[in-house]
Amino acid sequence: MLHHSILQTLPPQLQKEAVESIQVMRFPPGKILFRAGEHCRGLPLMLSGAVKVQMTGASGNSIVLYRMGADDICTLSIGCLMTGYGYRAEAFVEEESEAAMVSRGLFDRLMDQSAAFRLGIMESYGRRLDDLMLLVEEVAFRRMDERLEEWLQVRRSPIHITHQELAVELGTAREVVSRLLKELERKGRVRLARGRIDVIKGV
């Protein structure tokens, strides 16, 4: 039996029919679930694991839009299924993951036949949109050095991450991250090693 909260919103018979037609898929770390420009084949319902959704701009810089874990729904897939447009970002599996794939036809049927399912989908979409608006505010209106220091403060040292990976987390260029980290190291607030950041003196 599949366990995902959005499926629990369905009436018993419709839920039974949905579960019987849903395909459960397993993905290893490093797998790309979808890429920018691809058309959506269905709605992934996360059962376990961790998937990162990120966007890469014309400059080559990337930014993490959101992450999905157990019981999450892929927001970009919702948008693609409802509009018919292709993906604008890519999804990268960070930890071994399992997802239930709702086909396009089943998605349309559930949206049409279940008001509770439809409401659950829209609520999920709305929550993620709110998170993305906060991300836009962060990127557009806060200084990068402030965002970097805040990012370091909320993580346990040592932090195992490359400058490139950290740049993607913050939505900036690797050179910017390297310069800011070097400045923090000069001030004695971090110690840098290959693929590792040690936070010291309460950064």
Side-chain angles (χ1 to χ4, degrees), residues 53-115:
V53 178
Q54 66 183 41
M55 175 182 284
T56 302
S59 66
N61 295 335
S62 299
I63 184 171
V64 175
L65 300 178
Y66 59 89
R67 283 182 164 85
M68 297 186 291
D71 208 50
D72 281 338
I73 302 172
C74 182
T75 305
L76 282 186
S77 295
I78 295 173
C80 291
L81 286 169
M82 291 195 298
T83 64
Y85 296 153
Y87 287 109
R88 297 291 300 275
E90 67 176 9
F92 177 84
V93 179
E94 294 185 298
E95 301 173 7
E96 185 171 353
S97 300
E98 189 175 59
M101 183 63 70
V102 178
S103 68
R104 177 184 292 273
L106 179 59
F107 175 79
D108 290 341
R109 181 185 172 200
L110 298 180
M111 290 288 282
D112 180 61
Q113 296 185 9
S114 173

Side-chain angles (χ1 to χ4, degrees), residues 148 151 161-171 177 181 197:
L148 173 60
W151 192 95
I161 191 170
T162 66
H163 291 193
Q164 179 59 44
E165 290 168 341
L166 182 49
V168 172
E169 293 291 326
L170 297 173
V177 166
L181 285 173
I197 304 171

